[in-house]
Amino acid sequence: MNENIERKNPFFQPYDTPHGVAPFDHIRLEDYEEAMLEGIRREDEQIEKIINNPEKPTFDNTIVSVDDEKDGEGYYDLLSRVSTVFFNLLSAETNDEMDALAQKMSPILTKHANDIRLNERLFERIKYVHRHHRKLTPEEKMLLDNCYDGFVRSGALLDAAGKERLRQLTEEASMLGLQFSQNLLKENKAFTLHITDEAQLDGLPDTAREAAAQTAREQNKEGWVITLDSPSYSPFMTYSTQRELRRQLYMAKNTECTHDNAENNVEICKRLINLRRELAQLLGHKTYADYVLKHRMAGHVRDVYKLLNNLIEAYKPTALKEVKEIEKMARKMEGRHFKLEPWDFGFYAHKLKLARYQIDAEMLRPYFELSKVIEGVFGLANSLYGISFKENKDIPVYHPDVKAYEVFDRDGSYLAVFYADFHPRQGKQGGAWMTEYQGQWIDRKGVNNRPHVSVVMNLTKPTAEKPALLTLGEVETFLHEFGHSLHGMFANTRFESLSGTNVWWDFVELPSQLMENFAIEKKFLRTFAFHYQTGEPLPDELIARIVRSRNFNVAYACMRQVSFGLLDMAYYTRKEAFDEDIITFEKKAWEKAMVTEQLPDTCMTVQFSHIMAGGYAAGYYSYKWAEVLDADAFSLFKKHGTISPQVAQRFRDCVLSKGGTENPMVLYKRFRGGEPTIDALLKRNGIRRDHHKK
């Protein structure tokens, strides 16, 4: 009883933790709402102070105050502090109570954000500074432009009726995005394939069998359970000889959120597409894509289509050949009348890869034990950038799976806190992402506040029999998210809103995709890839096979990404209201990039989190855009011996530490010495030769 009387909401105190990290072990569900409401009140108070300031508006008394509401006591960062923890955990460790609270608070938070962005007196001050300001540094100028544009893009120039409509659109879109994600998580976790006959595990490697047995035990079931989480789903689709079970699993995965139940996302998607179109048109743009691309490297819809069409032209002929070879393999094994279905593709592609290169993801698993992979990735960062990682068990974490590290720079000074959350579980969204609990900024006293960065993944879990043994693909996923985290950890800018990954979205994937390139480099593999039982290093012959098989189905994979980009653009280049059948529309939208037959009932749109709820609407092309950049950038590393501290330092100085303080192309050219071309990508993918044979 006493403890409850004395207990204070941890969000209201200075965090008494190492490096001031979030005190996860002290936060309770009821703390969030109280802290959010108080945070809103304090922020409103701060805005009042700014607009009632009798002095003439200046960059310092207006723009800096709007952007950076922290004072020395950490008073005004309350809302950011609590909502960051809450929404990060909503993706990584949610439950029904958290979901319900998100539904309750989301419209309140959206209304508050709108109240600030649509505050006419505040905008008048910002507009004044935008026109009359002292000489600014490039970073200050970027902050001012972002601040002004942010208000304009949020409706500051609209009349009263327009502002009211904008409020309605953003509040509804925020709720629907949340509903979309919650539905998808529920559908994903609701399906299980429960196997009690061991014969139905035929073809599955031991790791997949053990994982399925472990999942069954966790669910208090006999036998084996396969789920739609990637570490369970992918091996089953690749190795299982049970065609009917593969079909069931494939259809479950590819019809998520299409069923006649509360989790159906069809109408939500239609509504989101229309809300975004109306929002863009209200703000004077023809389409939502036009609105989005104004702040992207691509710049225009035509430039996105130019990239996607160039990729189709370069890769589609090879992709069609790849599919034909897999069909040939299937008929060779099953008879000449065999019809390859989508649930067969992974299975026979694997057989062809094995026949052609004598390599298979399972052969590599014993060499990719998670704790060694962590050492390898940290070691790579040390070789490139001189940074080091030290686990600190005094740093609180939000789940026992999460590890927390202190990161130190080359000179031994403290650089960042790094959280790593590796495995799937009930309350966690699928996929992998990087986020922050605190961004980097330099305060008014000149103190460089260092970031608290987190990567969240869904990698293979350890079992009772074996430690977590990863596939090469999972190692690449780790490297990808780790690349994002380096962007966060090396941040070194004055303003938090410009630091780290706060860059244009078709630039943000460059640091992550660049790191993936190291996955097949012998120098890197030699540092950590040892057999978990014998300690033997990954044999040279196996590394050579990895490299040789690197471009297996690369064109097919490219067309898949391009098809997602086309689908995204088809929805968000709409000028008229959207009321078509989603499934039919989807099939037509990406037809140009399709190289396999489409099934009538499957649907990607209703589970396409990136473009519906994840901020990539009209931006999915970014992955391919950044791939052109990363291939071009990595060619410079290759030229200097691959693991090159000199090139890495240049990348850190020119790109990673700069965040969004300058135009990304300016940063890239400073690093690379010129604009990127598609040549390095075609060369890396082995497409260049075919491309020039014509």
Side-chain angles (χ1 to χ4, degrees):
M1 190 74 179
N2 245 0
E3 190 233 334
N4 279 341
I5 293 167
E6 289 167 16
R7 182 181 182 275
K8 289 183 177 151
N9 187 321
F11 290 116
F12 293 156
Q13 323 299 316
Y15 291 160
D16 184 19
T17 50
H19 308 295
V21 296
F24 295 113
D25 49 345
H26 291 303
I27 296 169
R28 294 182 189 169
L29 185 72
E30 63 266 24
D31 295 330
Y32 292 115
E33 184 175 352
E34 183 189 23
M36 283 184 200
L37 294 174
E38 174 60 12
I40 288 171
R41 190 195 68 75
R42 290 182 186 183
E43 218 165 69
D44 287 342
E45 200 176 77
Q46 170 72 352
I47 296 298
E48 280 301 306
K49 236 189 254 178
I50 295 168
I51 61 179
N52 291 320
N53 185 342
E55 292 171 19
K56 200 164 64 170
T58 65
F59 179 80
D60 299 279
N61 72 18
T62 300
I63 306 301
V64 173
S65 296
V66 171
D67 180 72
D68 174 17
E69 287 152 1
K70 301 174 180 65
D71 65 12
E73 304 307 308
Y75 183 77
Y76 288 109
D77 65 351
L78 177 60
L79 184 60
S80 152
R81 166 192 268 200
V82 59
S83 45
T84 298
V85 171
F86 179 76
F87 287 105
N88 280 344
L89 294 190
L90 199 64
S91 299
E93 184 57 15
T94 194
N95 53 46
D96 291 344
E97 292 77 23
M98 291 271 286
D99 284 353
L101 183 58
Q103 294 272 7
K104 180 181 178 181
M105 293 309 297
S106 213
I108 296 170
L109 292 165
T110 306
K111 179 186 179 303
H112 171 64
N114 280 333
D115 286 346
I116 294 175
R117 292 296 173 115
L118 299 174
N119 184 313
E120 287 173 19
R121 289 175 63 201
L122 181 60
F123 182 60
E124 280 308 311
R125 287 185 71 93
I126 291 165
K127 196 159 67 173
Y128 182 87
V129 180
H130 197 241
R131 289 180 182 157
H132 318 90
H133 54 76
R134 63 171 169 76
K135 192 167 172 24
L136 302 174
T137 67
E139 184 176 346
E140 289 172 333
K141 180 81 172 77
M142 185 63 88
L143 182 72
L144 174 57
D145 290 344
N146 284 359
C147 186
Y148 178 78
D149 282 354
F151 273 74
V152 170
R153 288 169 71 77
S154 300
L157 296 176
L158 296 175
D159 62 16
K163 284 178 177 163
E164 189 46 45
R165 183 64 189 135
L166 184 118
R167 281 179 183 278
Q168 293 164 356
L169 295 171
T170 50
E171 283 175 31
E172 191 182 345
S174 149
M175 285 302 293
L176 288 176
L178 184 62
Q179 187 67 55
F180 177 97
S181 299
Q182 291 178 351
N183 288 349
L184 182 57
L185 181 62
K186 281 178 188 151
E187 280 274 275
N188 184 275
K189 302 300 178 188
F191 177 88
T192 53
L193 178 63
H194 184 202
I195 295 172
T196 50
D197 175 4
E198 194 166 359
Q200 293 190 317
L201 300 176
D202 184 48
L204 289 193
D206 288 346
T207 49
R209 288 171 184 241
E210 287 159 15
Q214 171 120 334
T215 305
R217 283 195 295 275
E218 285 167 6
Q219 296 184 7
N220 297 316
K221 290 177 179 166
E222 293 295 311
W224 302 266
V225 167
I226 307 294
T227 71
L228 298 181
D229 289 328
S230 186
S232 179
Y233 176 84
S234 299
F236 197 91
M237 297 306 293
T238 305
Y239 297 102
S240 172
T241 60
Q242 307 295 295
R243 192 180 191 211
E244 172 52 24
L245 294 185
R246 287 202 314 264
R247 186 194 68 77
Q248 283 177 36
L249 205 58
Y250 179 89
M251 291 308 291
K253 179 83 166 166
N254 289 279
T255 59
E256 279 180 330
C257 300
T258 62
H259 307 116
D260 189 10
N261 60 17
E263 282 75 50
N264 185 300
N265 271 342
V266 170
E267 292 306 317
I268 289 179
C269 290
K270 284 186 184 178
R271 190 72 191 123
L272 280 167
I273 293 158
N274 282 322
L275 287 170
R276 288 170 182 151
R277 175 192 54 77
E278 193 184 334
L279 174 113
Q281 290 174 347
L282 185 62
L283 292 167
H285 301 272
K286 287 190 198 131
T287 69
Y288 189 71
D290 290 307
Y291 167 74
V292 167
L293 291 166
K294 196 161 183 282
H295 281 224
R296 297 289 188 270
M297 290 177 82
H300 297 279
V301 167
R302 66 169 181 269
D303 291 315
V304 174
Y305 277 117
K306 185 180 167 192
L307 171 72
L308 297 175
N309 289 330
N310 282 348
L311 290 168
I312 291 171
E313 189 194 340
Y315 285 79
K316 192 172 180 179
T318 308
L320 289 166
K321 266 189 244 164
E322 289 170 351
V323 173
K324 281 216 162 31
E325 284 162 354
I326 289 160
E327 284 173 341
K328 200 166 139 192
M329 186 74 189
R331 288 189 186 128
K332 185 177 163 188
M333 291 173 68
E334 309 299 343
R336 64 195 177 92
H337 298 298
F338 182 80
K339 183 177 185 309
L340 189 78
E341 298 286 359
W343 47 85
D344 301 319
F345 195 86
F347 181 77
Y348 293 103
H350 166 248
K351 296 289 185 198
L352 179 61
K353 188 175 182 181
L354 200 55
R356 192 177 283 175
Y357 302 104
Q358 294 79 53
I359 194 152
D360 159 278
E362 292 301 311
M363 287 177 187
L364 304 175
R365 263 196 211 270
Y367 298 95
F368 296 147
E369 197 259 300
L370 179 58
S371 67
K372 288 280 183 275
V373 175
I374 295 169
E375 282 175 27
V377 172
F378 288 173
L380 176 62
N382 184 262
S383 300
L384 288 169
Y385 299 105
I387 60 174
S388 54
F389 294 74
K390 187 177 173 212
E391 191 173 0
N392 183 344
K393 294 199 189 292
D394 293 332
I395 292 176
V397 291
Y398 55 85
H399 189 278
D401 280 358
V402 182
K403 289 181 184 296
Y405 301 87
E406 290 171 298
V407 190
F408 299 98
D409 212 338
R410 195 187 295 278
D411 62 1
S413 61
Y414 161 69
L415 187 69
V417 168
F418 175 75
Y419 301 96
D421 180 353
F422 292 107
H423 306 297
R425 55 178 174 266
Q426 194 59 33
K428 188 179 189 179
Q429 293 282 4
W433 62 93
M434 168 267 181
T435 186
E436 288 178 336
Y437 287 92
Q438 173 175 296
Q440 175 272 337
W441 84 97
I442 296 168
D443 66 23
R444 293 185 179 101
K445 294 172 185 166
V447 175
N448 195 328
N449 293 270
R450 300 307 305 162
H452 306 157
V453 172
S454 173
V455 299
V456 187
M457 296 170 284
N458 281 277
L459 306 178
T460 300
K461 288 171 21 173
T463 64
E465 296 81 10
K466 288 192 180 98
L469 301 174
L470 309 188
T471 62
L472 179 61
E474 289 180 315
V475 174
E476 286 173 333
T477 297
F478 188 176
L479 282 166
H480 179 102
E481 300 309 331
F482 188 73
H484 281 310
S485 76
L486 289 174
H487 206 175
M489 290 189 279
F490 285 139
N492 196 26
T493 62
R494 183 176 153 197
F495 304 111
E496 188 176 359
S497 68
L498 296 176
S499 82
T501 53
N502 289 306
V503 299
W504 287 359
W505 278 56
D506 44 10
F507 192 58
V508 80
E509 296 299 333
L510 166 62
S512 53
Q513 292 180 187
L514 179 78
M515 286 303 283
E516 286 184 51
N517 287 281
F518 289 99
I520 62 161
E521 291 295 328
K522 191 181 200 170
K523 278 185 193 170
F524 172 54
L525 291 167
R526 276 281 160 268
T527 64
F528 73 94
F530 300 99
H531 196 286
Y532 80 104
Q533 285 167 316
T534 66
E536 290 293 307
L538 184 63
D540 280 355
E541 172 50 28
L542 220 42
I543 294 176
R545 278 188 249 164
I546 293 171
V547 175
R548 276 204 303 277
S549 68
R550 187 65 180 151
N551 286 328
F552 179 73
N553 276 1
V554 71
Y556 170 82
C558 175
M559 285 301 94
R560 188 168 176 271
Q561 287 291 85
V562 169
S563 72
F564 295 162
L566 288 173
L567 180 62
D568 175 33
M569 292 306 282
Y571 286 129
Y572 294 117
T573 51
R574 294 276 300 199
K575 294 188 179 76
E576 310 301 327
F578 182 87
D579 192 32
E580 296 182 41
D581 178 79
I582 285 260
I583 294 181
T584 312
F585 183 86
E586 172 178 293
K587 308 268 183 263
K588 194 164 169 243
W590 62 19
E591 199 170 24
K592 205 172 164 188
M594 278 294 138
V595 289
T596 55
E597 195 184 336
Q598 303 188 60
L599 297 183
D601 300 332
T602 58
C603 187
M604 170 74 180
T605 302
V606 290
Q607 49 183 294
F608 200 173
S609 295
H610 278 79
I611 70 163
M612 290 297 157
Y616 277 86
Y620 196 82
Y621 75 90
S622 300
Y623 285 99
K624 296 313 286 184
W625 185 274
E627 213 175 317
V628 171
L629 295 178
D630 92 65
D632 188 65
F634 193 66
S635 64
L636 190 64
F637 279 87
K638 293 283 274 185
K639 198 170 152 188
H640 292 86
T642 308
I643 299 181
S644 163
Q646 290 75 24
V647 178
Q649 187 61 44
R650 188 159 148 191
F651 191 62
R652 176 178 176 173
D653 293 342
C654 298
V655 175
L656 298 176
S657 66
K658 294 284 188 244
T661 54
E662 291 183 71
N663 182 298
M665 190 55 89
V666 170
L667 298 178
Y668 186 81
K669 288 195 324 201
R670 198 175 292 147
F671 161 69
R672 192 63 182 88
E675 290 203 9
T677 70
I678 200 170
D679 294 352
L681 179 63
L682 296 175
K683 188 177 173 190
R684 180 174 77 189
N685 289 163
I687 299 292
R688 199 176 187 179
R689 291 184 298 278
D690 293 343
H691 196 50
H692 289 305
K693 267 183 198 167
K694 290 178 185 174

